Amino acid sequence: MSFVTVRDVFQEYDGRPIIERVNLDVAEGEFVSIVGASGCGKSTFLRLLLADETPTRGRITVDGGTPAREPGRERGVVFQKYSVFPHMTVRDNIVAAESFPKGWGWFRGAKLREARARADEVLERIGLAHVAKNYPSTLSGGMQQRLAIGQALHARPRILLLDEPFGALDPGTRLSMHEFLTQLRAETSMTVFMVTHDLGEGFKLGDRVLVFDKTRWDPDYPERYGATITYDFDARDHGIPYQHILDKIPSLAAASEPAPAPN
Amino acid sequence: MSFVTVRDVFQEYDGRPIIERVNLDVAEGEFVSIVGASGCGKSTFLRLLLADETPTRGRITVDGGTPAREPGRERGVVFQKYSVFPHMTVRDNIVAAESFPKGWGWFRGAKLREARARADEVLERIGLAHVAKNYPSTLSGGMQQRLAIGQALHARPRILLLDEPFGALDPGTRLSMHEFLTQLRAETSMTVFMVTHDLGEGFKLGDRVLVFDKTRWDPDYPERYGATITYDFDARDHGIPYQHILDKIPSLAAASEPAPAPN
Amino acid sequence: MRLLNRHPTRPTGILLAALPFVAVLIAYWIGSEIRLAANPQDKLLPAPETIMNTAGRLFTEPNKRTGEILLWADTFASLRRLAFGVGIGALISLTVGVGIGLLPYVRRGLSSFVAVLSMVPPLALLPILFIVFGLGETSKIVLIVIGITPFLIRDLSQRVLDIPHEEIVKAQTLGASTWVIALRVVLPQILPRLIAAIRLSLGAAWLFLIAAEAVAAEVGLGYRIFLVRRYLAMDIILTYVIWITLLAFLIDFALKTLSRKAFPWLGGGL
Amino acid sequence: MRLLNRHPTRPTGILLAALPFVAVLIAYWIGSEIRLAANPQDKLLPAPETIMNTAGRLFTEPNKRTGEILLWADTFASLRRLAFGVGIGALISLTVGVGIGLLPYVRRGLSSFVAVLSMVPPLALLPILFIVFGLGETSKIVLIVIGITPFLIRDLSQRVLDIPHEEIVKAQTLGASTWVIALRVVLPQILPRLIAAIRLSLGAAWLFLIAAEAVAAEVGLGYRIFLVRRYLAMDIILTYVIWITLLAFLIDFALKTLSRKAFPWLGGGL
Amino acid sequence: EQKTDFKLAWSIYAGWMPWGYLDSSGIMDKWAEKYGITVDIVQINDYVESINQYTAGGFDGVSATNMDTLSIPSGGGVDTTALIVGDYSDGNDAIISKKATSIEELKDTKVNLVELSVSHYLLARALDKAGLAEKDLAGVVNTSDADMIAAFATPEVETVVTWNPLVSEILDSNPDANKLFDSSQIPGEILDLMVVNTETLKDNPDFGKAVVGAWYEVMSKMAAGDEEALTAMAEAAGTDLEGYKAQLAATAMFYDPAKAVEQASSAEMPETMTTVANFLFDKGILGVDAPSADFVGVEYPDGKVTGDEANVKLRFDTTYMQMAADGAL
Ligand SMILES: Nc1ncnc2c1ncn2[C@@H]1O[C@H](COP(=O)(O)OP(=O)(O)OP(=O)(O)O)[C@@H](O)[C@H]1O
Ligand SMILES: Nc1ncnc2c1ncn2[C@@H]1O[C@H](COP(=O)(O)OP(=O)(O)OP(=O)(O)O)[C@@H](O)[C@H]1O
Ligand SMILES: [Mg+2]
Ligand SMILES: [Mg+2]
């Protein structure tokens, strides 16, 4: 009863391996957090799930179907930035989730009115009704991400992919977004993959936490090997005690940073 | 024995008050953290301290002198971004701190060699010796900020101003930067002002934590009044128990975010 | 205080802004005085008041034979050509630019061709142009189109490529086809850039217009300038030059305003 | 699969890139055949082999009288003018651009003046230019300078303004004077932009060069085209047009390479 | 004022090619040296620009037609003397049509020409002789001389008025085109001159002597059919020896200074110049302030003046050509 199935997936860029031999089974409705050092290939893996790129080797299937060759309505996505259309009002951004599959990408007349009414409901739910006619550039970062999530969900995807969705927000906003996401999750039962830099966030929101890391390492050729899933934690019940994870995988803390030279 | 003295400072932009009646005395060597909701005028206050702007009213003096009219060597600064010169190598960025006050901004011959030797010492200390010949664009965010701090300190300012210096870094890097800064602080005894969004960071690093907020509020004209220092916490001994501050000033948590509409 | 931190006060600022204009006027006036003192009939640098009189006459006095005011007829003809040329260039470059920016196949097929085209000096091709498009309005409009389109295409296709890949992916996850992405995601976002690019290339468009009108025309601002050059009527030439400058300025201003008004979502950017 | 997600394979890509060039060649060849069939003496669209022969002759046969190969002499003369014009324009615009971008006083004084200047059609001012600067090399170089400098100044001063204020403040906290900031912070950072702006304005520079050479010159690519235009010697004109296109392409490529090599700190940007 | 350095401008035209040869062959320098001066001869591609430059004071002399001299420098207040009458157009300017076979048939059609140039004048004279006026045409379209050949190749252009080498070029490549009228039908009306600033000439007679002397040395070479000289001129004109000879055939060169003096002093001259002045005034070329066609005075060798005697700005002076004829240089 695996819903998303990843089998022996490799990804290379210009002959440089980024991801190696990834295998994964995710059940429908699971919330999977993905953490790992910066540059280890988390976003790349998400792009593979999204079918924005095709893996060099291996296959990714959803619900036993054939591997997708390009992004489509069954996979929704929210990036850290650029997830809403700057030239559409907040409401039109939601309406777009309905009208884009149509021939001209437009609604007119009665259809438009209905779509707008539905969009207003969504805005009400995500707390953006009061700025329905504003353009995204006038919204704060948190409001923009909320809109992006609302827009993605309005297309009713079966899988939702989040790439550091709260990475650019300040801590307070971040907390309120966690709440918002948890609330939405309670209402639908989508399968979610979320890449995050924040271990705490990963454990707080996820059912599972995957850690990406390199299993092999050649000090002379640091780019010779790619990363794969090295840990797969159960994170239900807040994944206590997740704090010890740093002791196990110190690279997560240092992230993009080489240790300061001793002096 | 007030070192930095702020007296009745007001700042307006286009007639819109941002900062109101700020008074402050800071002793030499103190580390002052500044927190507050987004857009309340923290950066503005820092710019006033920097003398990048002149307050509409009031005066800011250092060590009893006349108010500065423009930035100079006695005030060092590190911003969240753009704090190093992208067109100079890492080493030249440090050398610049010595050569810029000279007529042509250049060193040549023996002087250059000496300055380079001193720069290399600095790089050794801040752990960037191995990338001395790289350009900043090839450095990670954390390394760039480390360089920016090293550069600012190499000019031996009497006051160091930091505007969310670690705001763009991921949590792991952030921690290592805290260590780095604490270490440097132990070696010199500068007066430091640091704006931060992260309460924990403010209390961890600072001797004092200032909170900026509006004391008056007109719901119909939210922009009518400016912010001022509403709290001035002693944060030595890690300022325990700083956690309660959120109960006192809830606006710090919500930051730029309006509360989600109830539904 | 460092010079870079010193801001002029408001009156000083206005004075400063006026200074170079006044300086040019005075320089002209002195030059004109000197020449006119040597030869009162000198035509090269007519006195400012002569220019004023000529300008007044040009703007108001109808031509004896045809009854129309030449300057306005010229202006109308030239602006018409300019509008057609720029308009057609804009349409072509929108289509091709979106194609190149969005579709890998079109990009491979056309981008190096457009790069080479943009290097061809259009003025040298005038004879071929005339034969293919005739001596009438078409060839003048085509010269403008040929002159500005390669630049517009390159600029716009670059802007399409600059649209964050995330937005394109997002649109795909909402089920948009290539056509819908082009129409609803890409097109509206490069329209402001189109206006900016047109503003940049208007100078070239004027140039090509004047060059084309110099070769063959019966009416038009460039035609008139080249015609009266035959008897060195600098008072007319200068009036026309100032008038063209003013028109260019007004068009530029109108486009800027249009861009600000029509694209509120830019939020002050651009 | 959506068209926008389809990428041509390598061989298809090369084929696609060659397609428009081949199409133009074939179209020309057909047009030429048709005209030559109707009138074997037709000069407008000479047969490709005629052009090849003419080109071969132009590139290798020295002039009987002077012993020099005209095409090379023309190329040399034109490139020299171009280099001087663009070089002087670059120097002026660097100075003025940095001034406008960095110093509020200069900005107030010059920015609107430059904005107006950039709207003046330089071709219309040719007579005045020739009289002020004579008919020698100077006036041709000056026309190029006048033609491209306002654009360069506006572009560069905008780039100076785009330099993050933080960097300027940082330099001040390190004790830099206005002069040092201009020299060590601003100048090196806008040099790559200067090259980019020059690449953009080279088309205009060629245009002005050709226009100036058409009026007064004894040697030069534009002069030669103008001279043989009267005889409709399209084989020579086309050879020159292709040659100019090639030169423009090479110069553009050289500048691009220079920019990449000379400014490693850009890290692939621009 | 007295000076020793002089500058002449010339542009490419069959009858003016000797000026280029004068410069490149060193003949000018030789004569200038003889009189202890220097004369710089500068080629300018754009004919109108060369006259404008002269009018503005950039040159001491320029090659121009009688008509353009009257309108630009003289009309612009620069007192100008026709130093050399080099030739008159004897078929070099022509009206060529694809369809029409006579001037009368031009009625209600468009004509392409360089407006306000001698072509325009030629057309006006041709129409006049046929009892028509310009308003009987559907209009004239200003067309740059450099593009006249290309223009004639386009379908909508029916009739052009232009000059050599364009005339022969057009007739050669369009065998079925008709020459309706040419300047040989108005002999002596389109004169090609070397005009100089009157004041400069008055103050520096040596300048006039050197230039005229050099010119007639080349004239004698041409008259003798000097291949070397003619080839150089042909090349400079962008054609070959044959082509250039054909152009010269339609140019009535005054190889002999005495002939030139004769032309300048001829009784038709005042009449011709009056016709020209009327044409110019009619076209508004004499300026808006010009009260009438005779607002500029023209003085002839015998001292006769047409037009305003108080405003003599164009003088036909045969002194120097006479010296050449007398071998006194
Ligand atoms: N399209 C691409 N072409 C070439 N290399 C790429 C491409 N996309 C990513 N990479 C490389 O793959 C590696 C992994 O990138 P990725 O963005 O997946 O990392 P990440 O784990 O998301 O990092 P971060 O935490 O910084 O977002 C990086 O070294 C990056 O340079
Ligand atoms: N130069 C300026 N001109 C006009 N208004 C300004 C200027 N600088 C800042 N402001 C306004 O002043 C207010 C305070 O800005 P400031 O950058 O000081 O806030 P902040 O507390 O640093 O916010 P953040 O936490 O988002 O950095 C904002 O409303 C801003 O729009
Ligand atoms: Mg990533
Ligand atoms: Mg701030």
Side-chain angles (χ1 to χ4, degrees), chain B residues 77-88:
Chain B
V77 71
V78 174
F79 297 103
Q80 179 168 349
K81 279 193 295 186
Y82 311 119
S83 270
V84 292
F85 302 112
H87 58 289
M88 298 184 187

mmCIF file with all atom_site columns, all heavy atoms in Angstrom, chain B residues 77-88:
data_model
loop_
_atom_site.group_PDB
_atom_site.id
_atom_site.type_symbol
_atom_site.label_atom_id
_atom_site.label_alt_id
_atom_site.label_comp_id
_atom_site.label_asym_id
_atom_site.label_entity_id
_atom_site.label_seq_id
_atom_site.pdbx_PDB_ins_code
_atom_site.Cartn_x
_atom_site.Cartn_y
_atom_site.Cartn_z
_atom_site.occupancy
_atom_site.B_iso_or_equiv
_atom_site.pdbx_formal_charge
_atom_site.auth_seq_id
_atom_site.auth_comp_id
_atom_site.auth_asym_id
_atom_site.auth_atom_id
_atom_site.pdbx_PDB_model_num
ATOM 1   N N   . VAL B 1 77 ? 30.246 48.772 10.957 1.00 0.00 ? 77 VAL B N   1
ATOM 2   C CA  . VAL B 1 77 ? 28.885 48.283 10.724 1.00 0.00 ? 77 VAL B CA  1
ATOM 3   C C   . VAL B 1 77 ? 28.907 46.967 9.951  1.00 0.00 ? 77 VAL B C   1
ATOM 4   O O   . VAL B 1 77 ? 29.801 46.715 9.152  1.00 0.00 ? 77 VAL B O   1
ATOM 5   C CB  . VAL B 1 77 ? 28.047 49.356 9.976  1.00 0.00 ? 77 VAL B CB  1
ATOM 6   C CG1 . VAL B 1 77 ? 28.510 49.485 8.539  1.00 0.00 ? 77 VAL B CG1 1
ATOM 7   C CG2 . VAL B 1 77 ? 26.567 49.027 10.038 1.00 0.00 ? 77 VAL B CG2 1
ATOM 8   N N   . VAL B 1 78 ? 27.950 46.123 10.265 1.00 0.00 ? 78 VAL B N   1
ATOM 9   C CA  . VAL B 1 78 ? 27.742 44.895 9.499  1.00 0.00 ? 78 VAL B CA  1
ATOM 10  C C   . VAL B 1 78 ? 26.248 44.780 9.229  1.00 0.00 ? 78 VAL B C   1
ATOM 11  O O   . VAL B 1 78 ? 25.443 44.796 10.161 1.00 0.00 ? 78 VAL B O   1
ATOM 12  C CB  . VAL B 1 78 ? 28.232 43.646 10.259 1.00 0.00 ? 78 VAL B CB  1
ATOM 13  C CG1 . VAL B 1 78 ? 27.867 42.378 9.497  1.00 0.00 ? 78 VAL B CG1 1
ATOM 14  C CG2 . VAL B 1 78 ? 29.727 43.711 10.476 1.00 0.00 ? 78 VAL B CG2 1
ATOM 15  N N   . PHE B 1 79 ? 25.880 44.734 7.958  1.00 0.00 ? 79 PHE B N   1
ATOM 16  C CA  . PHE B 1 79 ? 24.474 44.589 7.602  1.00 0.00 ? 79 PHE B CA  1
ATOM 17  C C   . PHE B 1 79 ? 24.151 43.125 7.356  1.00 0.00 ? 79 PHE B C   1
ATOM 18  O O   . PHE B 1 79 ? 25.041 42.275 7.300  1.00 0.00 ? 79 PHE B O   1
ATOM 19  C CB  . PHE B 1 79 ? 24.162 45.388 6.339  1.00 0.00 ? 79 PHE B CB  1
ATOM 20  C CG  . PHE B 1 79 ? 24.365 46.858 6.484  1.00 0.00 ? 79 PHE B CG  1
ATOM 21  C CD1 . PHE B 1 79 ? 25.488 47.480 5.943  1.00 0.00 ? 79 PHE B CD1 1
ATOM 22  C CD2 . PHE B 1 79 ? 23.438 47.627 7.169  1.00 0.00 ? 79 PHE B CD2 1
ATOM 23  C CE1 . PHE B 1 79 ? 25.668 48.841 6.078  1.00 0.00 ? 79 PHE B CE1 1
ATOM 24  C CE2 . PHE B 1 79 ? 23.618 49.000 7.300  1.00 0.00 ? 79 PHE B CE2 1
ATOM 25  C CZ  . PHE B 1 79 ? 24.737 49.603 6.754  1.00 0.00 ? 79 PHE B CZ  1
ATOM 26  N N   . GLN B 1 80 ? 22.872 42.879 7.122  1.00 0.00 ? 80 GLN B N   1
ATOM 27  C CA  . GLN B 1 80 ? 22.474 41.505 6.816  1.00 0.00 ? 80 GLN B CA  1
ATOM 28  C C   . GLN B 1 80 ? 23.071 41.054 5.482  1.00 0.00 ? 80 GLN B C   1
ATOM 29  O O   . GLN B 1 80 ? 23.440 39.909 5.307  1.00 0.00 ? 80 GLN B O   1
ATOM 30  C CB  . GLN B 1 80 ? 20.949 41.441 6.759  1.00 0.00 ? 80 GLN B CB  1
ATOM 31  C CG  . GLN B 1 80 ? 20.421 40.074 6.418  1.00 0.00 ? 80 GLN B CG  1
ATOM 32  C CD  . GLN B 1 80 ? 18.929 39.984 6.662  1.00 0.00 ? 80 GLN B CD  1
ATOM 33  O OE1 . GLN B 1 80 ? 18.330 40.869 7.260  1.00 0.00 ? 80 GLN B OE1 1
ATOM 34  N NE2 . GLN B 1 80 ? 18.316 38.902 6.237  1.00 0.00 ? 80 GLN B NE2 1
ATOM 35  N N   . LYS B 1 81 ? 23.152 41.997 4.546  1.00 0.00 ? 81 LYS B N   1
ATOM 36  C CA  . LYS B 1 81 ? 23.706 41.693 3.224  1.00 0.00 ? 81 LYS B CA  1
ATOM 37  C C   . LYS B 1 81 ? 24.589 42.843 2.783  1.00 0.00 ? 81 LYS B C   1
ATOM 38  O O   . LYS B 1 81 ? 24.591 43.903 3.391  1.00 0.00 ? 81 LYS B O   1
ATOM 39  C CB  . LYS B 1 81 ? 22.571 41.503 2.208  1.00 0.00 ? 81 LYS B CB  1
ATOM 40  C CG  . LYS B 1 81 ? 21.955 40.129 2.257  1.00 0.00 ? 81 LYS B CG  1
ATOM 41  C CD  . LYS B 1 81 ? 21.073 39.885 1.041  1.00 0.00 ? 81 LYS B CD  1
ATOM 42  C CE  . LYS B 1 81 ? 19.875 40.837 1.040  1.00 0.00 ? 81 LYS B CE  1
ATOM 43  N NZ  . LYS B 1 81 ? 18.929 40.534 -0.041 1.00 0.00 ? 81 LYS B NZ  1
ATOM 44  N N   . TYR B 1 82 ? 25.320 42.651 1.694  1.00 0.00 ? 82 TYR B N   1
ATOM 45  C CA  . TYR B 1 82 ? 26.103 43.702 1.052  1.00 0.00 ? 82 TYR B CA  1
ATOM 46  C C   . TYR B 1 82 ? 27.137 44.335 1.960  1.00 0.00 ? 82 TYR B C   1
ATOM 47  O O   . TYR B 1 82 ? 27.435 45.500 1.840  1.00 0.00 ? 82 TYR B O   1
ATOM 48  C CB  . TYR B 1 82 ? 25.185 44.808 0.517  1.00 0.00 ? 82 TYR B CB  1
ATOM 49  C CG  . TYR B 1 82 ? 24.042 44.317 -0.280 1.00 0.00 ? 82 TYR B CG  1
ATOM 50  C CD1 . TYR B 1 82 ? 22.734 44.551 0.119  1.00 0.00 ? 82 TYR B CD1 1
ATOM 51  C CD2 . TYR B 1 82 ? 24.256 43.589 -1.448 1.00 0.00 ? 82 TYR B CD2 1
ATOM 52  C CE1 . TYR B 1 82 ? 21.674 44.093 -0.621 1.00 0.00 ? 82 TYR B CE1 1
ATOM 53  C CE2 . TYR B 1 82 ? 23.189 43.131 -2.191 1.00 0.00 ? 82 TYR B CE2 1
ATOM 54  C CZ  . TYR B 1 82 ? 21.902 43.393 -1.764 1.00 0.00 ? 82 TYR B CZ  1
ATOM 55  O OH  . TYR B 1 82 ? 20.851 42.946 -2.500 1.00 0.00 ? 82 TYR B OH  1
ATOM 56  N N   . SER B 1 83 ? 27.652 43.565 2.918  1.00 0.00 ? 83 SER B N   1
ATOM 57  C CA  . SER B 1 83 ? 28.603 44.175 3.826  1.00 0.00 ? 83 SER B CA  1
ATOM 58  C C   . SER B 1 83 ? 30.040 44.017 3.377  1.00 0.00 ? 83 SER B C   1
ATOM 59  O O   . SER B 1 83 ? 30.926 44.618 3.958  1.00 0.00 ? 83 SER B O   1
ATOM 60  C CB  . SER B 1 83 ? 28.427 43.596 5.230  1.00 0.00 ? 83 SER B CB  1
ATOM 61  O OG  . SER B 1 83 ? 27.501 44.368 5.939  1.00 0.00 ? 83 SER B OG  1
ATOM 62  N N   . VAL B 1 84 ? 30.300 43.190 2.374  1.00 0.00 ? 84 VAL B N   1
ATOM 63  C CA  . VAL B 1 84 ? 31.668 43.109 1.866  1.00 0.00 ? 84 VAL B CA  1
ATOM 64  C C   . VAL B 1 84 ? 31.663 43.570 0.410  1.00 0.00 ? 84 VAL B C   1
ATOM 65  O O   . VAL B 1 84 ? 30.612 43.652 -0.213 1.00 0.00 ? 84 VAL B O   1
ATOM 66  C CB  . VAL B 1 84 ? 32.234 41.671 1.973  1.00 0.00 ? 84 VAL B CB  1
ATOM 67  C CG1 . VAL B 1 84 ? 32.433 41.294 3.427  1.00 0.00 ? 84 VAL B CG1 1
ATOM 68  C CG2 . VAL B 1 84 ? 31.329 40.681 1.284  1.00 0.00 ? 84 VAL B CG2 1
ATOM 69  N N   . PHE B 1 85 ? 32.839 43.873 -0.095 1.00 0.00 ? 85 PHE B N   1
ATOM 70  C CA  . PHE B 1 85 ? 32.926 44.371 -1.468 1.00 0.00 ? 85 PHE B CA  1
ATOM 71  C C   . PHE B 1 85 ? 33.082 43.190 -2.412 1.00 0.00 ? 85 PHE B C   1
ATOM 72  O O   . PHE B 1 85 ? 34.097 42.489 -2.357 1.00 0.00 ? 85 PHE B O   1
ATOM 73  C CB  . PHE B 1 85 ? 34.096 45.345 -1.596 1.00 0.00 ? 85 PHE B CB  1
ATOM 74  C CG  . PHE B 1 85 ? 33.974 46.503 -0.663 1.00 0.00 ? 85 PHE B CG  1
ATOM 75  C CD1 . PHE B 1 85 ? 34.850 46.670 0.393  1.00 0.00 ? 85 PHE B CD1 1
ATOM 76  C CD2 . PHE B 1 85 ? 32.927 47.410 -0.795 1.00 0.00 ? 85 PHE B CD2 1
ATOM 77  C CE1 . PHE B 1 85 ? 34.712 47.730 1.274  1.00 0.00 ? 85 PHE B CE1 1
ATOM 78  C CE2 . PHE B 1 85 ? 32.782 48.472 0.082  1.00 0.00 ? 85 PHE B CE2 1
ATOM 79  C CZ  . PHE B 1 85 ? 33.678 48.629 1.129  1.00 0.00 ? 85 PHE B CZ  1
ATOM 80  N N   . PRO B 1 86 ? 32.129 42.982 -3.283 1.00 0.00 ? 86 PRO B N   1
ATOM 81  C CA  . PRO B 1 86 ? 32.137 41.782 -4.113 1.00 0.00 ? 86 PRO B CA  1
ATOM 82  C C   . PRO B 1 86 ? 33.294 41.734 -5.100 1.00 0.00 ? 86 PRO B C   1
ATOM 83  O O   . PRO B 1 86 ? 33.678 40.656 -5.541 1.00 0.00 ? 86 PRO B O   1
ATOM 84  C CB  . PRO B 1 86 ? 30.804 41.858 -4.868 1.00 0.00 ? 86 PRO B CB  1
ATOM 85  C CG  . PRO B 1 86 ? 30.398 43.280 -4.811 1.00 0.00 ? 86 PRO B CG  1
ATOM 86  C CD  . PRO B 1 86 ? 30.956 43.812 -3.532 1.00 0.00 ? 86 PRO B CD  1
ATOM 87  N N   . HIS B 1 87 ? 33.854 42.904 -5.451 1.00 0.00 ? 87 HIS B N   1
ATOM 88  C CA  . HIS B 1 87 ? 34.881 42.912 -6.484 1.00 0.00 ? 87 HIS B CA  1
ATOM 89  C C   . HIS B 1 87 ? 36.283 42.773 -5.906 1.00 0.00 ? 87 HIS B C   1
ATOM 90  O O   . HIS B 1 87 ? 37.253 42.874 -6.642 1.00 0.00 ? 87 HIS B O   1
ATOM 91  C CB  . HIS B 1 87 ? 34.775 44.206 -7.285 1.00 0.00 ? 87 HIS B CB  1
ATOM 92  C CG  . HIS B 1 87 ? 34.919 45.425 -6.436 1.00 0.00 ? 87 HIS B CG  1
ATOM 93  N ND1 . HIS B 1 87 ? 33.960 45.819 -5.550 1.00 0.00 ? 87 HIS B ND1 1
ATOM 94  C CD2 . HIS B 1 87 ? 35.920 46.315 -6.319 1.00 0.00 ? 87 HIS B CD2 1
ATOM 95  C CE1 . HIS B 1 87 ? 34.353 46.921 -4.933 1.00 0.00 ? 87 HIS B CE1 1
ATOM 96  N NE2 . HIS B 1 87 ? 35.546 47.232 -5.377 1.00 0.00 ? 87 HIS B NE2 1
ATOM 97  N N   . MET B 1 88 ? 36.390 42.605 -4.581 1.00 0.00 ? 88 MET B N   1
ATOM 98  C CA  . MET B 1 88 ? 37.712 42.430 -3.985 1.00 0.00 ? 88 MET B CA  1
ATOM 99  C C   . MET B 1 88 ? 37.802 41.018 -3.419 1.00 0.00 ? 88 MET B C   1
ATOM 100 O O   . MET B 1 88 ? 36.823 40.461 -2.941 1.00 0.00 ? 88 MET B O   1
ATOM 101 C CB  . MET B 1 88 ? 37.901 43.419 -2.832 1.00 0.00 ? 88 MET B CB  1
ATOM 102 C CG  . MET B 1 88 ? 37.840 44.860 -3.241 1.00 0.00 ? 88 MET B CG  1
ATOM 103 S SD  . MET B 1 88 ? 38.197 45.883 -1.807 1.00 0.00 ? 88 MET B SD  1
ATOM 104 C CE  . MET B 1 88 ? 37.850 47.496 -2.466 1.00 0.00 ? 88 MET B CE  1
#
